[in-house]
Amino acid sequence: MDKLGTPAKLVVSSTPELAEEVEKVARERIGPKRGASFLYRKPVYSIPSNLFSGIESSPAEVLRELGLATTFVTASPFADIARHWAHVRYCATLWSNRKQTLALTQAGSDIVHHHKVAQSEQLGIGLALVVAKRILERSHPGWLFSSVDVDVALEAGFIEGAGLVRQKKKATMRPDYFLVGRHAGGGQSGCKVYVLECKGTHGNKHHSKRQLATASLQVGSIEVDSRTLPSLIIASRLSTAGVSIDVLDPPGDADLWGGESEEFDALLSEDPGPRQWTSGKPTFEQFFARQRELLGAEDFQPSEADLQAARTEYEESLGELPVIFQVPQDGKNWLFRILARNTAHSILRFAGDNTSASRFATPRTAESQRLPIDDPTPDWQMFTVSSEFNINSHRFVGVEYSMPLPNGASLKIFRGVEKGMYESLREGRVSAYLRRAQQLRSSWASVPSGAAANGTQHQAVSVGSDGTGLRIRVV
């Protein structure tokens, strides 16, 4: 338990050499395998070292991010238990090694192959979210970034494609998460959005480069106003010698919305309603615009011969092109509202307040995931916060689960949200929540996370910039 809460250095790398090597792998792997899809992928670039140098994290933080990111809308009486499982399953997998770097424990390494695949995928998500949020919050001071599952968000707008998330061909070529940046201060609010693809492996660096090459295709599958979104692709290599994390940055247009704080809350107070967009292969116009964007030829007027050559290439390669989710220009405001409401929904669900969270859920998503035997409002969906505790004199509200351990001890896991932020979200005052998050951000830097936290032995604590908190203890 002490190891679970001990901070450790993260070995993060992002260099021009890495970007060139991934581009080479993409040419060799994606080009022959998917033909014209190679031209549809996003080129990758390194990011400045000041955005990732000196990042520290703890296993508890990785588990908190994983649990928050997997707070699904699923209408099931076992949904809260599933969120709890995200914290428990890998609590003995990571630790701070003798070099004080985050590493895989021996117990975490001694598993058979098919379990390693699941483990690397899940821990890859948690590690990528930790690193991505640090990078973006350094890049955009004063902004708060939260994760939203791409499938959950798109399902509210697309009547086919996103709704069929179990169809492997369509699902695997989409990224994992939107990272939604929100800012409220000085009377002004704003929203930025990035796309994140998370990879994890127990393999070597070459395997990691192959994953990054594939990720460069996945992050290009979503367009807003015929433009790709900025992205981060992050691959984590898990080893007992230390976790190594590679980061690359395919560029794009980040700003989604800007306006006054009062307008921000008004826009989020009501569900924007579903859309009837359809996903599918790109049209010639979309294909040609993307091709010109990738080749840096957007400012040049194409000749008739250029257009004819491009159309011929498009027709010959249509079967190889990926499925694209195109949000039109007039859908930007809708997408902002959906993403911002989803972040509020996830945080309230993380705290166990399903009742308040339901006001931020879209009807289409909620209905599609309802059990066929459910009453309109089953009792278990009304479950709300039931536990409180203090971290650094700040009150947190949420839920706590207990599991028996040998010799009469118990493992207790609390997850929740700082009380002031929770109350703002519960009342629908998202801009007030963001302002309080910014005010308290520095408070969490001094949170003791190991055995000394709150003077209690054998516990680990993690608190995020978004006010979500996780405490794991043995009593």
Side-chain angles (χ1 to χ4, degrees), residues 243-310:
V243 173
S244 299
I245 302 173
D246 293 327
V247 183
L248 291 172
D249 173 25
D253 183 12
D255 291 318
L256 198 59
W257 181 86
E260 297 183 357
S261 297
E262 293 78 7
E263 185 183 2
F264 185 91
D265 283 338
L267 285 170
L268 301 188
S269 62
E270 295 183 2
D271 175 62
R275 292 294 184 268
Q276 303 297 314
W277 301 321
T278 57
S279 61
K281 302 287 185 176
T283 64
F284 169 70
E285 290 73 20
Q286 293 168 345
F287 173 80
F288 189 54
R290 172 67 71 87
Q291 190 178 56
R292 285 165 59 78
E293 176 189 350
L294 295 181
L295 297 175
E298 298 167 283
D299 297 330
F300 296 93
Q301 186 65 31
S303 65
E304 190 63 35
D306 292 333
L307 287 171
Q308 185 57 46

Side-chain angles (χ1 to χ4, degrees), residues 68-85:
L68 181 60
T70 53
T71 303
F72 299 125
V73 188
T74 305
S76 164
F78 303 107
D80 280 301
I81 301 298
R83 294 177 200 123
H84 171 63
W85 176 241

